[in-house]
Amino acid sequence: MTRPADTASRILRAAQALFDREGAAGVSMRRVAAAIGMTPMAIYRHFPNREALLKRMSDDSFDAIARHWHARGSGSDVRARLLAVQRIYLDFALAHPHRFDHAFSTPRSDARRFPEDFHARLSPTLNVVADAVEDAMGAGVLRKDDVWDVTMTLWAHTHGLIALYRAGRFSYDEAAFRRYYDASLQRLLTGLQA
């Protein structure tokens, strides 16, 4: 007999596969059910509606990014940590464009808002960046400033570059864009140096 947690995992995997191919518009309870051989009504036992399923997928994306950032965002070289987490953001955006858009670019009622939600540390992803920024300020690598304002500046910079690249505003191939992205981050961090 299949356990409810196993069934929920199967539903999520099928929904994610549809999402990765077609974005949020491609995910319907009927299509997910067909992909795993269930009736659409059976899915509602695990997810009350499509929005709850999409929210769970979005939350899982945030958690996955945060785990990668935690793993790569450790070490004593704080500048390297700041660059590493920003590179992971780019990796995620290019590997999973639909997940990236849904998590970071699509208006949602449950989206975290600056500054209150971030100051309250409700963002599993940006908390990692803020911690690295705070450590860099403490180590004298970045000049003292508001940690969350600098964190948002970094995020806006990297997100903006990624959005422009994905919109076709760069003539670079992926390798050239990655080099430009790194160089641009280096310039920004140099401007924020202590």
Side-chain angles (χ1 to χ4, degrees):
M1 179 174 194
T2 304
R3 294 188 330 251
D6 294 339
T7 302
S9 294
R10 287 178 50 228
I11 292 166
L12 282 167
R13 282 192 304 274
Q16 196 65 67
L18 289 167
F19 194 99
D20 285 346
R21 280 195 310 271
E22 303 174 37
V27 179
S28 71
M29 299 305 235
R30 184 173 307 281
R31 291 187 73 201
V32 172
I36 59 174
M38 292 179 75
T39 66
M41 292 311 293
I43 292 178
Y44 289 102
R45 290 187 206 123
H46 303 275
F47 297 95
N49 53 44
R50 178 180 177 272
E51 290 71 32
L53 179 59
L54 290 173
K55 180 178 181 340
R56 171 67 186 276
M57 291 183 342
S58 200
D59 289 346
D60 288 352
S61 291
F62 286 127
D63 291 342
I65 294 169
R67 280 193 307 277
H68 287 291
W69 280 2
H70 276 294
R72 297 250 317 266
S74 59
S76 58
D77 184 338
V78 290
R79 187 180 180 102
R81 284 172 51 203
L82 285 169
L83 290 170
V85 295
Q86 299 306 323
R87 287 175 184 139
I88 292 168
Y89 191 65
L90 175 61
D91 292 344
F92 181 78
L94 297 179
H96 307 287
H98 294 301
R99 287 191 223 179
F100 177 83
D101 288 344
H102 189 70
F104 297 107
S105 300
T106 302
R108 295 187 333 271
S109 62
D110 66 330
R112 293 166 190 91
R113 304 271 190 287
F114 186 80
E116 298 81 10
D117 293 341
F118 294 93
H119 284 246
R121 297 189 59 85
L122 298 179
S123 174
T125 51
L126 234 50
N127 288 342
V128 178
V129 181
D131 292 345
V133 166
E134 186 170 32
D135 290 348
M137 288 179 185
V141 172
L142 298 181
R143 69 176 170 270
K144 297 280 186 194
D145 202 335
D146 182 276
V147 169
W148 280 105
D149 285 353
V150 172
T151 300
M152 286 301 282
T153 297
L154 286 169
W155 185 24
H157 182 81
T158 56
H159 186 83
L161 288 175
I162 292 166
L164 290 168
Y165 175 72
R166 291 193 51 235
R169 303 304 177 144
F170 285 90
S171 61
Y172 301 143
D173 64 11
E174 184 177 318
F177 177 71
R178 285 179 179 279
R179 287 190 298 275
Y180 178 85
Y181 181 89
D182 273 356
S184 185
L185 278 168
Q186 294 281 4
R187 283 191 291 276
L188 180 60
L189 290 175
T190 297
L192 295 169
Q193 277 179 186

